[in-house]
Amino acid sequence: MEQVLSAFREAGCHGTPWFQVTGHEPVVDLPGCPNPATCESMGGLDLGEVTLGVDGATRDEPVVLNQAVTHIGFRKPSSLAVLAASVALASQAGPLLLLDDSGTCAFVVSPGDDPTNLAKHWPW
């Protein structure tokens, strides 16, 4: 959990946390969007509504900061924000498989990938 939040922060992303961390305020690491009306058009990195899944915990159940995140979900994110967050996460976690909601589109981001090159092929 801590590494995921750190990656979001490192990438300069913001969003709305749809998760709770015991003894920690996620908005410290994932602040809200400063200007939702113009964020995406100005190149802002809004991840939208962010869910972080942890084995054995329901979405509404608070987790602890040192638990491993098993999956991440975004609702209404900026495409560039997801790319930035994915590159930052891959540098910490290793290769990531990203899927769209229907599972029909997949994309792999690996440590060291150049975001500019990835953006040329980014499906979202």
Side-chain angles (χ1 to χ4, degrees), residues 39-116:
C39 185
E40 189 167 2
S41 67
M42 301 294 289
L45 299 177
D46 186 13
L47 292 171
E49 298 161 349
V50 180
T51 57
L52 300 179
V54 174
D55 274 345
T58 65
R59 189 178 72 99
D60 297 327
E61 186 178 344
V63 297
V64 291
L65 205 53
N66 65 353
Q67 283 185 277
V69 173
T70 57
H71 59 278
I72 300 169
F74 305 111
R75 183 172 178 263
K76 299 181 183 180
S78 152
S79 177
L80 290 176
V82 175
L83 177 58
S86 299
V87 169
L89 285 166
S91 73
Q92 292 186 22
L96 300 174
L97 176 63
L98 292 88
L99 302 168
D100 66 356
D101 289 344
S102 64
T104 58
C105 186
F107 197 83
V108 175
V109 177
S110 297
D113 278 349
D114 176 19
T116 305

Side-chain angles (χ1 to χ4, degrees), residues 11-26:
C13 294
H14 51 269
T16 304
W18 277 24
F19 55 90
Q20 299 173 41
V21 181
T22 301
H24 186 74
E25 234 1 91

